[in-house]
Amino acid sequence: MINNPLTIVSIADIHFGALDPKYTYETLRNQFIQPLYSINFDILAICGDLFDSKYMSNNPIITYTLLFVDELVNLCRQKNATFVLLAGTQSHDNDQLSLFYHYLQDPTIDIRIVENICFQNIKNLRILCIPEKYGLPEEEYKKILFESGGYDLCFLHGTLKNSFKGSEITTLSSNHAPVFGINSFINCAGPILCGHYHIAGCYEEYMYYNGSPLRYEFGQEQPKGFMITLYDPVGRMHYTKLIEIDS
């Protein structure tokens, strides 16, 4: 039984630009943002790949992405929730999270824009945030995963072991994308909430892919949506559910 849990909303792989941005915005406004007004939550996280590619500032894709993030900021402000914006794959997010740096100067919103591996202290939780990075020494991953003490949960954009073909072996070598297994998170007391793979699922009981919220590729007939996680940091228990979006 989970008592007095923290409520964490997570979504990933929105890929603004892969579909008509107006459709993406309106679908997420109606089926993601609006339902969240009816619940109380503590943390809202976008676990990478907000964008599909790099765009000029006058592109409508940027306009609708800015509208979407601004609505999330207002929602988090109303709920007194922390907004975590995690960098995803370089070829997708393309350093465009800088578009939201101005929110860091706004004292009415607690926003964390995470572009490098770090711990964030949020709502009395110690949270490990791992954006997708290339070229980092394996020792750097080992230091933060195994030598930096315990933590409550993790937001990750990256590859989980056995999630798709070619990910059968855990490796922290970043000459290519690291592959994280459950033993990579031996110091984590709670769930690992991830972006990168577009099909939602649970791996080794504690690692979750949000999947993409919209269906924009053939062969992705599985349910699409976002996740709500209830987490009890005292009892070290959690419950995670995919909330489906009709795409």
Side-chain angles (χ1 to χ4, degrees), residues 33 67 75 109 114 126 181 192 209 226:
I33 296 175
L67 280 172
L75 173 62
I109 177 68
V114 183
R126 189 176 190 232
I192 299 93
Y209 272 125
F226 62 97

Side-chain angles (χ1 to χ4, degrees), residues 168-238:
E168 294 82 7
I169 300 174
T170 301
T171 174
L172 298 178
S173 171
S174 56
N175 292 327
H176 47 80
V179 178
F180 299 93
I182 192 63
N183 289 334
S184 302
F185 305 102
I186 194 169
N187 288 327
C188 185
I192 299 93
L193 304 175
C194 309
H196 185 52
Y197 188 41
H198 293 182
I199 297 175
C202 177
Y203 297 83
E204 301 186 76
E205 297 187 44
Y206 286 88
M207 304 188 297
Y208 297 87
Y209 272 125
N210 288 273
S212 56
L214 301 175
R215 186 172 291 106
Y216 63 87
E217 291 180 341
F218 290 110
Q220 292 188 12
E221 303 308 314
Q222 297 85 351
K224 297 294 182 182
F226 62 97
M227 285 185 170
I228 294 182
T229 299
L230 306 180
Y231 175 58
D232 174 9
V234 177
R236 305 302 190 190
M237 298 176 64
H238 77 277

